[in-house]
Coordinates of all heavy atoms in Angstrom, one line a residue:
G10 N 126.2 115.6 111.1 CA 126.2 116.6 110.2 C 126.7 116.2 108.8 O 126.3 115.3 108.2
A20 N 127.6 105.6 100.4 CA 127.0 104.3 100.5 C 126.0 104.2 99.4 O 125.9 103.1 98.7 CB 126.4 104.0 101.8
G57 N 113.8 96.0 102.1 CA 114.8 96.9 102.7 C 114.2 97.6 103.9 O 113.3 97.2 104.5
K70 N 96.8 105.9 96.7 CA 95.4 106.0 96.8 C 94.8 104.6 96.9 O 95.1 103.7 96.1 CB 94.9 106.7 95.5 CG 93.4 107.2 95.6 CD 93.0 107.8 94.3 CE 93.9 109.1 94.0 NZ 93.5 109.7 92.7
V112 N 92.2 100.2 94.6 CA 93.6 99.8 94.1 C 93.7 98.3 94.3 O 93.2 97.7 95.3 CB 94.7 100.5 95.0 CG1 94.6 100.1 96.4 CG2 96.0 100.2 94.4
F122 N 107.5 97.2 92.9 CA 108.7 96.8 92.1 C 109.2 98.0 91.3 O 110.4 98.1 90.9 CB 108.4 95.7 91.1 CG 108.4 94.3 91.8 CD1 107.2 93.7 92.0 CD2 109.5 93.7 92.3 CE1 107.1 92.4 92.7 CE2 109.5 92.5 92.9 CZ 108.3 91.8 93.1
P151 N 96.2 81.8 98.4 CA 96.6 81.3 97.1 C 96.4 82.3 95.9 O 97.2 82.3 95.0 CB 95.7 80.1 96.9 CG 94.5 80.3 97.8 CD 95.1 81.0 99.0
K158 N 103.5 85.5 91.8 CA 104.4 84.6 91.0 C 104.2 84.9 89.5 O 105.2 85.0 88.7 CB 104.0 83.1 91.2 CG 104.5 82.6 92.5 CD 104.2 81.1 92.7 CE 104.8 80.5 94.0 NZ 104.5 79.1 94.1
H168 N 112.4 91.0 80.6 CA 113.8 91.5 81.0 C 113.7 92.9 81.5 O 114.5 93.8 81.1 CB 114.7 91.4 79.7 CG 114.8 90.1 79.1 ND1 115.5 89.0 79.7 CD2 114.3 89.6 78.0 CE1 115.4 88.0 79.0 NE2 114.7 88.3 77.9
H198 N 110.4 112.8 109.4 CA 111.8 113.2 109.2 C 112.2 113.3 107.8 O 113.2 112.6 107.4 CB 112.7 112.2 110.0 CG 112.3 112.0 111.4 ND1 112.6 112.8 112.4 CD2 111.6 110.9 112.0 CE1 112.1 112.4 113.6 NE2 111.5 111.2 113.3
Y203 N 119.5 110.1 105.8 CA 119.2 108.8 105.3 C 117.9 108.8 104.4 O 117.8 108.3 103.3 CB 119.0 107.8 106.4 CG 118.7 106.4 105.9 CD1 119.7 105.5 105.8 CD2 117.4 106.0 105.7 CE1 119.4 104.2 105.3 CE2 117.1 104.7 105.2 CZ 118.1 103.8 105.0 OH 117.8 102.6 104.6
T217 N 105.5 110.9 90.3 CA 105.7 111.2 88.9 C 105.3 110.1 88.0 O 104.6 110.3 87.0 CB 107.3 111.4 88.7 OG1 107.7 112.5 89.5 CG2 107.6 111.6 87.2

Side-chain angles (χ1 to χ4, degrees):
K70 190 181 300 181
V112 64
F122 283 109
K158 286 183 175 179
H168 303 290
H198 308 282
Y203 181 94
T217 300

